[in-house]
Amino acid sequence: MKTIDKIYVNGEFVTPQGTEYFDLISPTTNEKLGKVLLGNAEDTQKAIEAAKNAFKTFSKTTVSERIQYLKNIKSAVEKRKYDFINVMIEEYGGTFQFASVSYDYMLKSFDSAISLLHSYDFTKTMGESEVQMTPIGVVGIIIPWNSSNGYICSKLSTAIAAGCTTVIKPSEMSAQQTELILECLHEANLPKGVVNIVNGLGEIVGAEISRNPDITKISFTGSTNVGKIIAKEAVNTMKRVTLELGGKSPNIILDDADFSKAIPLAISAAFMNNGQACIAGSRLLIPENKLNEAKLFIKETVSKLIVDNPKNLNTNVGPMVSTKQYNRVQDYIQAGIDEGAEILTGGLGKPEGLENGNFIKPTVFIHANNQMRIAKEEIFGPVLSVITYKTEEEAIEIANDTTYGLQAYVSSSNSERAHRVASQLNAGRVQVNGISHDPMAPFGGFKQSGIGREFGTLGLEAYLEPRALIQQK
């Protein structure tokens, strides 16, 4: 049983003044792993003050200095590869496969930031003026539980590249993962106050970050509802915001696609990260005259999925992060049944032999439509809704008929046709005939999937303010 009773403020591990503990529960067994002592508003204020003081000098560091700091963090993270993978499996329930990929993405975050610093020009000429791209200030980083250290690394690396200092609020459910990244950050020997991390609840620590006037920018990943609360609070002090929010991603399989390849790809897109992914392809659009063919491939593909303990190397789908999340997904499956969708595979209850954990039967509904909750709302679990269409134009219309617009998918044997369809989808990213991540391309959402972009040049510039020098000749 582990007790985590330290936060990180001004380069030191300190005991928070908060007195409330939060229990850490294994999603695989529902047994208690330990507990974490939560910080309060005063702890957050001290962290913000440390970041504010550090910004005075860190904002003036050179590109080469910031590159070295990023290299230091990456080096520290590289030494702890299996620790990162194992703690994500134990605390979050991410599969070994997903945790391994997540770790690789962590390292790529630093590589990408370093690459940007080698190529980005912080001083530009626009018109006849000099424009200086200056660090925005103290950044509040608020992240969810579904890829905790991945988000910390991607957001923090960008902030450091820009010359900003940070106050980070991870999910209280990710305290063991947070403790590990903290040890690496401390080993990296960054200037004091550049990185501050406070474990705590959203309504306490997150709220203080959102309202504190010394926070200049907030970078938040999480639900659309919480993003709206943060944005409303942030506007009172004119904070800049980058909000990466929810999704209900459409996956269009065109009638000329090879279904033997497109369907397994679609199942991977839907059930990645145990279905707990904002980019999950949770709406599968199939040509009406190809539904029977699709059903055969779907049943065959899902039947081969291994739902099991996430530490097993071959497990494809692990447990939901908590009993609360398990119950939420069960409620959605029941809603799909009540609304008249048909279960092709999966359904209510836990898989046999996995009753102690928060395991879900990977579930696929057919005869769904965009008016149903299962096809309209973000479920955040391994539930896929199949919707049929008659024409390519109708497929595009159905795909765009959503309040979200984070990611979309298109499969076709004709690359030009796939490109044409992809170019009409209202999503921040569209995956064409595959699933991959480009860390130099922007990531973010249309509509209620967010505001702003992360990664690459656009992501860096979200942490910068332009200052124009107009000098009389």
Side-chain angles (χ1 to χ4, degrees):
M1 197 73 68
K2 187 170 193 175
T3 299
I4 297 171
D5 59 1
K6 294 290 187 291
I7 58 176
Y8 196 70
V9 177
N10 204 32
E12 297 180 0
F13 292 93
V14 298
T15 302
Q17 298 196 19
T19 57
E20 183 179 353
Y21 281 90
F22 180 87
D23 288 341
L24 302 172
I25 307 296
S26 165
T28 304
T29 64
N30 273 311
E31 295 175 355
K32 187 174 176 179
L33 299 171
K35 60 183 180 178
V36 55
L37 180 60
L38 302 177
N40 60 17
E42 189 172 345
D43 294 312
T44 312
Q45 290 162 6
K46 288 181 178 179
I48 294 169
E49 183 67 23
K52 180 182 177 182
N53 290 333
F55 181 73
K56 297 172 185 175
T57 51
F58 191 72
S59 59
K60 296 178 174 63
T61 53
T62 64
V63 165
S64 60
E65 287 175 316
R66 299 203 290 273
I67 287 174
Q68 189 57 57
Y69 291 134
L70 291 166
K71 287 181 176 178
N72 289 355
I73 303 173
K74 182 187 175 185
S75 176
V77 170
E78 283 178 322
K79 297 175 186 176
R80 307 289 295 274
K81 175 178 180 177
Y82 293 104
D83 292 338
F84 277 105
I85 292 172
N86 290 334
V87 74
M88 189 178 196
I89 293 169
E90 178 186 66
E91 184 175 59
Y92 167 59
T95 64
F96 177 84
Q97 297 171 6
F98 179 78
S100 300
V101 171
S102 181
Y103 173 78
D104 290 339
Y105 282 176
M106 288 169 59
L107 296 181
K108 288 178 181 178
S109 295
F110 302 108
D111 292 335
S112 302
I114 291 167
S115 178
L116 273 173
L117 284 174
H118 280 303
S119 61
Y120 188 78
D121 191 352
F122 285 86
T123 303
K124 308 173 184 295
T125 300
M126 297 184 183
E128 297 181 352
S129 303
E130 176 183 303
V131 177
Q132 302 168 346
M133 303 300 291
T134 64
I136 204 165
V138 178
V139 179
I141 295 174
I142 303 175
I143 54 176
W145 38 256
N146 64 325
S147 184
S148 181
N149 283 336
Y151 289 120
I152 288 178
C153 290
S154 63
K155 294 176 187 290
L156 176 60
S157 60
T158 308
I160 289 174
C164 297
T165 57
T166 60
V167 177
I168 302 172
K169 192 211 89 66
S171 169
E172 63 278 7
M173 297 168 67
S174 307
Q176 291 184 133
Q177 297 168 79
T178 300
E179 183 181 52
L180 180 57
I181 192 68
L182 268 180
E183 291 170 0
C184 294
L185 292 169
H186 188 70
E187 182 185 326
N189 200 29
L190 304 172
K192 289 187 175 183
V194 170
V195 182
N196 305 272
I197 299 186
V198 181
N199 290 314
L201 301 177
E203 57 265 34
I204 297 174
V205 175
E208 180 62 35
I209 289 173
S210 299
R211 66 174 170 255
N212 193 294
D214 289 328
I215 295 283
T216 310
K217 171 187 170 63
I218 293 178
S219 180
F220 169 76
T221 296
S223 72
T224 296
N225 287 338
V226 174
K228 289 177 181 179
I229 294 169
I230 289 171
K232 287 175 183 176
E233 186 65 57
V235 78
N236 292 326
T237 49
M238 285 298 170
K239 291 175 173 54
R240 280 51 176 157
V241 293
T242 299
L243 305 175
E244 191 263 283
L245 308 177
K248 194 66 182 175
S249 300
N251 187 342
I252 299 176
I253 298 183
L254 294 170
D255 55 12
D256 63 355
D258 181 346
F259 276 48
S260 68
K261 296 178 181 177
I263 294 296
L265 192 69
I267 298 301
S268 295
F271 298 157
M272 66 170 76
N273 195 6
N274 305 340
Q276 297 174 139
C278 50
I279 58 172
S282 54
R283 289 187 297 145
L284 180 57
L285 278 58
I286 298 289
E288 192 175 78
N289 62 358
K290 296 263 190 172
L291 179 60
N292 288 334
E293 179 184 354
K295 285 164 59 177
L296 293 174
F297 281 113
I298 289 169
K299 291 180 75 171
E300 180 186 3
T301 303
V302 175
S303 70
K304 294 177 181 176
L305 290 178
I306 298 174
V307 183
D308 199 359
N309 190 314
K311 70 173 60 174
N312 295 341
L313 302 187
N314 296 324
T315 295
N316 304 118
V317 180
M320 299 295 92
V321 70
S322 65
T323 54
K324 178 182 178 181
Q325 188 63 20
Y326 170 83
N327 289 330
R328 171 187 167 90
V329 178
Q330 292 293 304
D331 288 345
Y332 271 108
I333 295 174
Q334 184 63 58
I337 296 169
D338 295 342
E339 289 179 312
E342 178 186 332
I343 291 177
L344 179 65
T345 183
L348 294 166
K350 297 181 179 181
E352 187 177 349
L354 296 170
E355 289 81 8
N356 292 335
N358 304 320
F359 292 90
I360 300 276
K361 298 173 186 176
T363 298
V364 180
F365 283 97
I366 57 173
H367 306 309
N369 61 66
N370 273 1
Q371 283 64 55
M372 295 179 178
R373 290 181 61 207
I374 55 169
K376 187 163 57 175
E377 300 175 14
E378 185 175 44
I379 297 174
F380 232 60
V383 179
L384 174 62
S385 298
V386 177
I387 303 170
T388 58
Y389 66 88
K390 291 183 174 66
T391 66
E392 180 182 300
E393 292 73 23
E394 186 186 16
I396 295 167
E397 184 178 346
I398 293 170
N400 288 335
D401 178 25
T402 172
T403 58
Y404 296 110
L406 188 60
Q407 184 149 293
Y409 305 78
V410 178
S411 290
S412 171
S413 61
N414 184 322
S415 60
E416 290 183 6
R417 185 185 182 197
H419 183 274
R420 185 182 71 245
V421 171
S423 299
Q424 298 176 71
L425 299 181
N426 297 328
R429 277 191 176 182
V430 184
Q431 301 278 352
V432 181
N433 288 328
I435 305 174
S436 61
H437 171 58
D438 183 350
M440 300 301 282
F443 176 68
F446 285 32
K447 296 183 278 189
Q448 294 194 38
S449 282
I451 296 173
R453 294 293 184 268
E454 298 185 279
F455 301 121
T457 301
L458 293 179
L460 176 63
E461 289 185 340
Y463 290 77
L464 300 170
E465 285 278 30
R467 177 196 294 128
L469 300 187
I470 304 175
Q471 190 165 341
Q472 303 301 316
K473 296 180 181 178

